Structure formats: C-alpha cells, structure tokens
Amino acid sequence: MASARTEGESGPATDPSLTLALAYAPRDARPVFDDLFALDRRLADAVRQASEPIIGQLKLAWWRDRFAQDRSDWPKGEPLLARLAAWDADVSQLASLVDGWEALLAEGPLAEEAITAFGEGHADAWALAAAALGHPGPPPPDHAALLWSYADLAQHCSTSEDVERVQAAARGQRLLDQTPSRLPRALRPFAVLGTQGLRSLRSGRPMMSAGGDFLAAVRTGMLGR
C-alpha cells in the first residue's frame, strides 16, 4: 500500500482538527458536515484496515456501487446512506471521493497521480456538500479542500519520503502561495480546515500541533479568513 492511515485514526467526533472546525458550523448546516466527514472516515477505515489492497478495493467498491445507483434503490439499514440520501445534491458525485481513497491502495511509493486523485476527490465532495447547503459557489471550497486533504494525508503517511511527496505536490500546485478564499458563513468549517491545512503544509508539522495553529483557526472561524 502506498500510504497507510496510522494506528489511532480518529473519527469526526475525536479528531481535534474537525472538532474545532465543526464548532463553527451553523446548526442547520451541521448535519451535512457530519455526514461528509463520517463518509470520509468510513472510506479511510476501508483503506487503513485492509490487510491486502484487494480487501480495501472491495470495501470501497461497495460505496462506489451505491453512488452509481439511484438513491431510491439504496439498501435500507445503513444509517449513513439514509442521511446522504436526504442531501439536496447529486450524491452520485461522491464516487470521486471513493476514487481518491482507492488511489492510495496502489503498491509502492505514493505516486503524484494518487496524491492528485486524493485531493480532487475531497475537493469534489466538499463542493457537493456546499451545493447541498445552497452554496454552489463561486467561490467553491476547492482550495481549502486541497489544503486540508493534503495536510491530513501527509500527517498519516507511513514514510517520510511519502510525506515529502505530498508536500511537493502541494507546492507544485501552488496551493501554499495564497490563503483560501473567503467562504459563505454556512461553509465556515471548510475555511477553518483550509487554514489548518495551509499552516501544516507550510510548516511541515501536523495540524493543530502548535499554539499558533489553534489561534489562527479560531480567527478564521470568527472572521472567515
């Protein structure tokens, strides 16, 4: 596996980065953010817990098959699917997030194509969540999504070489040259995560690992950037 999620992977309820960002979600928008990050961590678990790439691929294929179906045909009994079915958006596009996670299952060093697919999958999913909240853009949350997803990937890479590959990809895409665009109030959690990702990628430290990171994130949560 090119890059593995390490032991102790946390979910939306316990990840400090997400917990802080979600504190700035308006009450009526919070369910969409909860659903988005719950799905992201379910896909992360499929990759992290796979003893062989084929096992992870099979688990991810289940989700891809669901997003290829009309939501009315989704199986009953999966609470997350039931919540996603309520989104006012084209949920078939969430297959891009599945593809991004699957790219990490390739053998050998983490390839630039896999890093790009991972980032683009998150950018697509964040844009879809924004549309579900009535904010399809402009500006879309793409920049913030790439910053956070790359930073999250870097801090969970299994080798220092893969960490450098992620950081090099971010630099090559010029993601670190500017701060994310100001987003609507309903999308404030995305802005907070983008700020965390930017500081992490610039410093080479994990997100929320220094006091200044917390203060910068809070400032973004309050002011929008």
Side-chain angles (χ1 to χ4, degrees), residues 139-188:
D142 295 13
H143 188 197
L146 292 172
L147 289 169
W148 181 78
S149 61
Y150 281 16
D152 187 54
L153 177 59
Q155 70 186 38
H156 290 101
C157 282
S158 55
T159 69
S160 59
E161 290 80 10
D162 279 350
V163 172
E164 174 53 34
R165 290 183 181 97
V166 176
Q167 293 172 336
R171 293 192 298 268
Q173 296 176 37
R174 305 185 69 83
L175 296 179
L176 313 186
D177 294 349
Q178 57 183 339
T179 57
S181 301
R182 186 185 294 274
L183 296 172
R185 177 68 183 85
L187 306 184
R188 191 64 53 84

